[in-house]
């Protein structure tokens, strides 16, 4: 399909509203994305006609809902090119997906003095679970350093890898800096030491073609709401060989095979990791969102966003005193910046009043902002429904903030 921005914009009703009597310009896509009408319709259809609990009913509606849910699993397996559909575990988001692995892997495989490697630019979701696990197990958290541009120092990573390394957890794209990490290379290097790698794909899935077999990652995690689907939906992809070995994370219905007061045997994959009633409507919404993206083509999306990112970078750096934090060679859809000595929160408030939604603060990635020795940034993050006119309005709003606050 060709990339038709006018049609795409029409598909997203949230974009066509006014705030403070100005047309909304939504540039907070790294926090969450808006939903196309097709996703909204899918949720309404499920709640209007199909609502039923899955996997445990013989009645018509339950079977229909179960079929739809399992079809979504098959579609998502194909979307990320997993080898098996039982390697797709449904969760409520990236945070839960990472916690499942940290907890299960930690219980079974992490011992005193072992080491886990993460990077300087991790979101708290891919930092705190590993940090806490290390504290509990008397293991050590090692951190891959970065350079001034916000790129990983691969040679330093090489030095961190050793026979004590038990796990590597790394973000695909930094939500604070926009850096696209060379995850395939990192995975290859870790595998030489037989170390499994988890990729936090929260920011990867909306912007890149994800092929988990090609990456050869052991785990890949993402959230539906960052990819035009409802909140409360998420995916944990895991290689079968690992998921088979790992113990369940939560206990309850669905994840069991046979239960007596003395003993429980667990269900097979993927259900072993899906205790309780899942968020069926959101998962169906996620399937619809990924189908919507497939129709436009992720390559077309990436090209369009790249062009938008280059335009926005070029226009923003024309503003005197504006400094971009995160200038990696390979970047996606995120521009974090500071305007002179203006506090990001003050700038964000004025930019918002101009109708432009940006995010300010540490973006749940405090350590990387500490590294840059700054308290936070203003962050504009783009999706494929944004336009160069949106960028122009951002520039105008930044100039207004500068005029009022300097
Ligand atoms: N990792 C990254 C890189 C993120 O950007 C986010 C969300 N900002 C998360 C993890 C956490 O995602 P969620 O809150 O949907 O679980």
């Amino acid at each position: 399909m060709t990339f038709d921005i006018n049609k795409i914009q029409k598909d997203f009703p949230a974009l066509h509203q006014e705030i403070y009597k100005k047309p909304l310009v939504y540039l907070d896509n790294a926090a969450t994305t808006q939903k196309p009408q097709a996703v909204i319709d899918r949720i309404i259809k499920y709640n209007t006609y199909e609502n039923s609990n899955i996997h445990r009913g013989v009645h018509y509606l339950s079977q229909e809902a179960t079929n739809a849910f399992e079809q979504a699993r098959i579609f998502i397996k194909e979307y990320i090119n997993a080898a098996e559909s039982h390697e797709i575990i449904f969760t409520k988001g990236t945070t839960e997906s990472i916690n499942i692995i940290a907890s299960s892997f930690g219980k079974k495989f992490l011992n005193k003095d072992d080491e886990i490697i993460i990077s300087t630019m991790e979101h708290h979701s891919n930092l705190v679970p590993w940090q806490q696990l290390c504290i509990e197990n008397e293991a050590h958290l090692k951190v891959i350093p970065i350079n001034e541009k916000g790129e990983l120092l691969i040679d330093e990573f090489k030095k961190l890898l050793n026979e004590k390394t038990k796990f590597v957890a790394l973000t695909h794209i930094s939500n604070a800096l926009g850096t696209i990490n060379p995850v395939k290379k990192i995975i290859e290097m870790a595998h030489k030491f037989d170390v499994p790698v988890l990729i936090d794909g929260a920011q990867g899935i909306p912007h890149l073609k994800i092929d988990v077999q090609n990456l050869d990652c052991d785990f890949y995690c993402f959230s539906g709401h960052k990819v035009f689907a409802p909140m409360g939906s998420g995916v944990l992809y895991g290689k079968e060989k690992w998921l088979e070995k790992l113990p369940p994370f939560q206990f309850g219905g669905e994840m069991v095979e046979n239960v007596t007061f003395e003993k429980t045997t667990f269900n097979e994959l993927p259900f072993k990791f899906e205790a309780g009633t899942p968020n069926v409507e959101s998962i169906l919404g996620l399937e619809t969102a990924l189908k919507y993206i497939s129709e436009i083509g992720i390559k077309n999306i990436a090209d369009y966003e790249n062009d938008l990112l280059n335009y926005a970078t070029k226009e923003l750096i024309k503003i005197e005193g504006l400094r971009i934090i995160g200038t990696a060679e390979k970047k996606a859809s995120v521009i974090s910046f500071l305007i002179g000595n203006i506090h990001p929160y003050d700038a964000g408030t004025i930019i918002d009043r101009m109708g432009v939604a940006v995010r300010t603060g540490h973006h749940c990635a405090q350590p990387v902002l500490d590294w840059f020795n700054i308290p936070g940034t203003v962050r504009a993050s783009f999706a494929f429904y944004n336009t160069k006119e949106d960028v122009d309005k951002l520039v105008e709003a930044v100039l207004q903030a500068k005029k009022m606050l300097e």
Side-chain angles (χ1 to χ4, degrees), residues 53-341:
N53 211 332
I54 57 167
H55 292 146
R56 34 189 117 141
V58 288
H59 66 80
Y60 180 85
L61 278 190
S62 176
Q63 288 190 20
E64 286 291 294
T66 304
N67 286 344
F69 189 77
E70 291 307 322
Q71 278 305 314
R73 199 187 305 273
I74 292 167
F75 183 81
I76 291 164
K77 168 229 170 213
E78 278 160 19
Y79 189 85
I80 62 169
N81 195 31
E84 304 288 345
S85 54
H86 57 249
E87 294 177 323
I88 305 297
I89 313 289
F90 288 128
T91 67
K92 69 181 163 72
T94 310
T95 304
E96 189 180 49
S97 300
I98 295 169
N99 273 280
I100 290 174
I101 297 307
S103 162
S104 291
F105 187 90
K107 231 186 254 173
K108 186 137 181 200
F109 293 109
L110 197 73
N111 297 311
K112 188 171 182 297
D113 289 332
D114 284 345
E115 296 177 358
I116 290 178
I117 303 179
I118 61 165
S119 86
T120 309
M121 66 177 91
E122 297 311 315
H123 186 282
H124 298 162
S125 295
N126 198 32
L127 186 165
V128 185
W130 305 112
Q131 175 195 64
Q132 295 301 308
L133 183 64
C134 286
I135 294 170
E136 270 167 39
N137 290 267
E138 295 180 61
H140 305 287
L141 193 66
K142 300 281 165 178
V143 182
I144 312 171
I146 56 172
N147 64 19
E148 286 291 330
K149 291 177 167 181
E151 295 166 323
L152 293 180
L153 299 180
I154 303 294
D155 288 344
E156 297 300 316
F157 171 60
K158 201 170 174 185
K159 287 185 207 155
L160 291 177
L161 275 171
N162 64 64
E163 64 292 343
K164 286 188 194 155
T165 312
K166 286 289 145 62
F167 205 89
V168 174
L170 177 69
T171 193
H172 201 161
I173 296 179
S174 157
N175 67 309
L177 309 174
T179 311
I180 303 177
N181 284 320
V183 290
K184 195 172 157 125
K185 184 163 175 57
I186 296 270
I187 292 162
E188 212 179 282
M189 289 165 74
H191 283 175
K192 290 209 173 109
F193 286 78
D194 282 331
V195 173
V197 182
L198 174 144
I199 302 298
D200 169 355
Q203 301 295 338
I205 193 89
H207 305 296
L208 302 173
K209 161 98 191 96
I210 305 303
D211 180 334
V212 291
Q213 289 190 80
N214 179 267
L215 287 177
D216 201 23
C217 54
D218 301 277
F219 305 99
Y220 196 94
C221 308
F222 62 92
S223 303
H225 73 99
K226 309 257 191 208
V227 67
F228 318 101
M231 290 182 177
S233 59
V235 168
L236 162 62
Y237 158 79
K239 276 186 188 162
E240 183 188 86
K241 70 166 189 186
W242 279 111
L243 294 177
E244 288 291 5
K245 275 188 248 179
L246 294 177
F249 168 64
Q250 284 186 325
F251 302 100
E254 289 287 301
M255 53 76 66
V256 292
E257 182 192 54
N258 195 45
V259 182
T260 66
F261 283 114
E262 290 72 36
K263 181 172 176 273
T264 295
T265 53
F266 300 127
N267 204 341
E268 62 190 5
L269 289 175
F271 311 112
K272 182 173 95 172
F273 289 102
E274 292 180 355
T277 302
N279 195 337
V280 180
E281 65 188 77
S282 288
I283 297 296
L284 299 182
L286 175 58
E287 178 195 22
T288 307
L290 295 176
K291 281 186 174 160
Y292 180 86
I293 289 179
S294 299
E295 275 165 29
I296 299 170
I298 190 76
K299 170 90 175 62
N300 292 335
I301 288 175
D303 289 347
Y304 177 85
E305 288 182 347
N306 212 21
D307 192 39
L308 201 58
L309 178 73
N310 289 340
Y311 178 72
T313 306
K314 188 170 83 41
E315 292 304 309
L316 281 168
I317 53 173
K318 284 183 192 161
I319 299 173
E320 206 193 316
L322 188 141
R323 176 159 75 106
I324 292 180
I325 310 297
T327 50
E329 295 301 318
K330 289 204 168 149
K331 266 189 80 170
S333 289
V334 169
I335 305 187
S336 259
F337 60 89
L338 288 169
I339 317 158
N341 292 325

Side-chain angles (χ1 to χ4, degrees), residues 337-353:
F337 60 89
L338 288 169
I339 317 158
N341 292 325
I342 300 171
H343 195 280
Y345 180 81
D346 297 335
T349 307
I350 293 185
I351 294 169
D352 171 56
R353 286 281 158 172

